[in-house]
Amino acid sequence: MKVLLVGEFSRLHNSLKEGLQELGHEVTIVGHQDGFKNYPVDFPLRKKWDSGILKKIKIVVHTLSGFDISSYLTYCQFQKNHQNFMHYDVVQLINENSFYCQYFYEKKMLQFLFKNNKKVFLLSCGYDYLNVKYCFENPDYKSVIQAYLCERISAKNFANVLKFRTPSFKKLHDYIYTNTAGIIATDLDYHVPLHGNKKYLGLIPNPINNNKIEFEPLEIHGEIVIFHGINKVNYYKKANDYFEKALDQIAVKYKSKVSIITTRDVPYSTYINSYNKAHILLDQGYANDQGYNALEAMAKGKVVFTGAEIAFTKHYNLTSRVAVNTIANVDYLVNELSYLIENPNEIIAIGKRARAFIEKEHDYIAIANKYLETWTKY
């Protein structure tokens, strides 16, 4: 099978590509490399006019005319290589705004993909129209929208989410929805809003290539190392403010018992190795299930503070913790961290269970087969 994967912002499509290639399929990725994470992409799309004086000029032009220079330049890059994006058996979009463009140019590129390939599928693995709509209509549902509604995130810093509530992105959603063979969710955070939708094809967990992630059973001989990796763009969306306040208390409470490592905006290749010595990793506080960073850390055997709600444990029939469910509450975080620091054997046990869980539920070849089954069926 010949497959085109459009977009990459978590290494999901790279791992899926590796699984599909192991099974003998031809796979190509086109998309942005997601800034500092710099994921491998076969046909990279560069974000231009996105910093410094050029960005200021772009904003002025857009304000005065509605014309978005970055979208136009992305479209030009797509057009330059358009012959490489034809005649695929399957095209899969990473989400409803895979090219990060405004409606006009996003639709032009999608039209080309729909016209020149056999089947197109859509992933729900980030913000999109249906997910955002559901979370606003159900404010008690655990999501980053709760932080926005509590005014912890400004509208300006939440623009990449709020855009899915605008008329142009509703039009884009309707267009994609009409032309795709179906929608696939990558974890429970996206499964719940899609439940019962006639286009929904089901949940396929994120693929993890364990061959690229070395597992080392945790050992504790002195300080317990806690790792907190910060991406400043998503600082409040990941509950990093709560994590930092909790760590301040932990540093005072346990002093010589813990060592805290914090990184900010490091490249993906650096990030994934920055926490090798860590026992505990702080990921995010507004999720029901694990995202990609959490899964990779779990594959290494780390104890990860992330989404692991009751719906998650029920879905996978878990009777023991493979991660620490996290909420945006400083006292809760301090209590959970304190328990682990005072019970180091539990750290070791969770780390072993985490790796076993990833091997069982997220193996990249098994997941690639699930995608093949779905793509073939629909």
Side-chain angles (χ1 to χ4, degrees), residues 68-336:
D68 181 54
I69 295 171
S70 291
S71 293
Y72 169 71
L73 293 175
T74 295
Y75 173 70
C76 290
Q77 293 173 70
F78 180 90
Q79 281 294 92
K80 182 179 178 180
N81 291 295
H82 73 277
Q83 291 184 337
N84 294 292
F85 312 139
M86 303 169 63
H87 311 308
Y88 287 88
D89 299 301
V90 167
V91 174
Q92 181 163 275
L93 308 175
I94 197 81
N95 77 348
E96 290 184 346
N97 195 205
S98 302
F99 296 105
Y100 301 118
C101 290
Q102 288 186 315
Y103 172 79
F104 178 76
Y105 288 109
E106 189 88 15
K107 184 179 178 182
K108 283 178 73 72
M109 289 181 279
L110 291 172
Q111 280 179 320
F112 180 87
L113 295 176
F114 291 139
K115 181 180 179 180
N116 293 285
N117 298 283
K118 292 181 181 178
K119 292 182 183 179
V120 180
F121 292 84
L122 171 67
L123 284 188
S124 181
C125 64
Y127 310 121
D128 59 34
Y129 172 77
L130 291 174
N131 181 273
V132 171
K133 180 175 184 290
Y134 180 89
C135 292
F136 270 100
E137 292 175 351
N138 298 273
D140 291 334
Y141 182 66
K142 188 181 180 186
S143 77
V144 71
I145 273 80
Q146 293 177 324
Y148 173 75
L149 294 174
C150 292
E151 299 183 346
R152 299 192 68 84
I153 306 175
S154 68
K156 180 180 179 180
N157 291 331
F158 213 52
N160 68 322
V161 179
L162 296 176
K163 69 183 181 183
F164 290 104
R165 305 188 82 197
T166 62
S168 63
F169 274 94
K170 172 62 166 63
K171 283 172 61 180
L172 186 62
H173 160 77
D174 291 339
Y175 176 70
I176 294 171
Y177 189 87
T178 301
N179 287 279
T180 49
I183 308 170
I184 299 166
T186 58
D187 68 45
L188 290 168
D189 290 285
Y190 312 112
H191 164 78
V192 173
L194 288 169
H195 187 69
N197 188 296
K198 65 180 182 180
K199 281 270 187 169
Y200 183 44
L201 308 181
L203 189 160
I204 302 179
N206 285 297
I208 300 294
N209 187 343
N210 288 313
N211 296 331
K212 291 180 175 286
I213 302 176
E214 184 178 359
F215 169 65
E216 292 187 12
L218 296 175
E219 296 180 356
I220 300 174
H221 304 295
E223 292 180 329
I224 292 170
V225 181
I226 304 171
F227 177 84
H228 183 205
I230 296 172
N231 172 355
K232 65 182 180 182
V233 173
N234 292 322
Y235 183 80
Y236 292 102
K237 295 173 187 173
K238 299 291 186 181
N240 292 131
D241 50 334
Y242 289 98
F243 284 137
E244 289 205 296
K245 290 175 183 177
L247 289 176
D248 287 343
Q249 292 188 34
I250 290 295
V252 172
K253 184 176 181 180
Y254 291 101
K255 297 180 181 177
S256 61
K257 285 188 176 182
V258 299
S259 174
I260 297 170
I261 300 171
T262 301
T263 64
R264 297 178 186 273
D265 290 349
V266 298
Y268 169 79
S269 58
T270 303
Y271 170 85
I272 196 171
N273 291 312
S274 298
Y275 58 81
N276 283 340
K277 294 181 180 179
H279 301 96
I280 298 170
L281 181 140
L282 307 181
D283 176 51
Q284 63 174 316
Y286 295 110
N288 298 276
D289 198 344
Q290 300 90 58
Y292 218 87
N293 285 346
L295 293 171
E296 290 189 318
M298 291 165 67
K300 285 192 173 188
K302 309 302 180 183
V303 176
V304 183
F305 278 59
T306 186
E309 289 287 343
I310 293 173
F312 161 75
T313 59
K314 286 184 176 179
H315 181 79
Y316 290 105
N317 297 312
L318 298 172
T319 56
S320 299
R321 292 203 293 185
V322 298
V324 178
N325 185 48
T326 308
I327 61 174
N329 180 285
V330 175
D331 291 338
Y332 172 88
L333 294 172
V334 170
N335 288 337
E336 288 290 341

